[in-house]
Amino acid sequence: MMNEQPFDMSIVIFALLAAFLIWKLRSVLGTRNDNERPGGGPAMPGRWSAGYSQKPRSDAPAGNGQSSDSTAFRRRSAPANGSAPDQRENEGASNAPRDWSAFIAPGAAAAPGLDAIAAADPAFEPRAFIEGARAAYEMIVNAFAKGQRDVLAPLLTPDVFAGFNGAITEREKHGRTIDFTFVSLDSAKITEAALVENHAEITLRYEAKMIKVTRDAQGNVVDGSPDHVVDAHELWTFERPVDARDPNWKLAATKSED
């Protein structure tokens, strides 16, 4: 008869410890269903892809061959000290201010707003947000140049879509087309952030290079040059309700700095 091995109590202890750690992690991090999973939006990396009524209308971005209306960019930033009234009740919810410096444009006072957003939405990650915002910029300017309303609609707030749609309709009315080549996106940094009621609002400054040529119905060049790379400097504001199950951000305002 084989000798029985002595029962090792350490196995039971380690198993109980592992079960406790798993339970503790789930209680801290929570769980997410399929509707809330990262990448839940249309072709956007990370936890990304973007309601106030009476949103300011925005003309098309600088990458479309049209001029941008600077008055269409509504500043919803915090006061000069970087703290918005709506953020005060959320500041106590965060354990400590985070270091956002890698994601903020030099000199921008966006850190208090990002602290408030992260406190209201613990799943918010700036790196994933900026990756999605970079992808959204290229997608939106390309879709506008091609007149792809079906691509634009899910990525824009209703008022911004109305502005883009109006510019596309006007272009089609005159038989104009845009030849567009996206060359590079050199920078995307956060310049402003705020939590307004339950809405997170983040503004980024984009620096990009592109080739854009507007042609008339006869194919003649009426704006731009096929041999000239244009530098674009733009401010885009994205928004998202922090209590929404939908993780997507939407473009809420644009302004060209050119």
Side-chain angles (χ1 to χ4, degrees), residues 140-202:
I140 289 171
V141 295
N142 271 298
F144 177 84
K146 297 175 182 178
Q148 296 174 330
R149 295 176 175 86
D150 58 331
V151 175
L152 293 172
L155 304 178
L156 316 178
T157 61
D159 281 343
V160 174
F161 177 75
F164 278 47
N165 182 51
I168 293 172
T169 300
E170 186 69 14
R171 193 171 70 210
E172 293 171 342
K173 176 181 176 181
H174 295 285
R176 294 187 173 184
T177 57
I178 294 179
D179 294 336
F180 182 80
T181 302
F182 192 90
V183 178
S184 65
L185 179 53
D186 302 324
S187 177
K189 293 284 188 178
I190 296 172
T191 62
E192 298 178 15
L195 182 65
V196 181
E197 295 179 353
N198 70 325
H199 278 71
E201 299 181 346
I202 300 179

Side-chain angles (χ1 to χ4, degrees), residues 39-100:
M44 291 296 171
R47 190 178 183 277
W48 219 93
S49 59
Y52 297 102
S53 59
Q54 302 301 320
K55 268 288 184 290
R57 289 190 56 171
S58 169
D59 284 347
N64 58 34
Q66 305 286 335
S67 61
S68 293
D69 182 1
S70 60
T71 62
F73 183 81
R74 173 185 171 191
R75 292 214 175 253
R76 296 180 292 269
S77 60
N81 64 3
S83 177
D86 302 275
Q87 293 169 206
R88 295 171 185 167
E89 62 186 40
N90 296 286
E91 287 174 352
S94 60
N95 294 328
R98 292 172 56 178
D99 181 7
W100 308 100

Side-chain angles (χ1 to χ4, degrees), residues 10 15 22-23 49 73 105-106 110 112 166 175 177 185 199 202 212 220 230-231:
S10 64
I22 292 173
W23 172 82
S49 59
F73 183 81
T177 57
L185 179 53
H199 278 71
I202 300 179
K212 51 184 180 180
N220 301 312
V230 176
D231 289 314

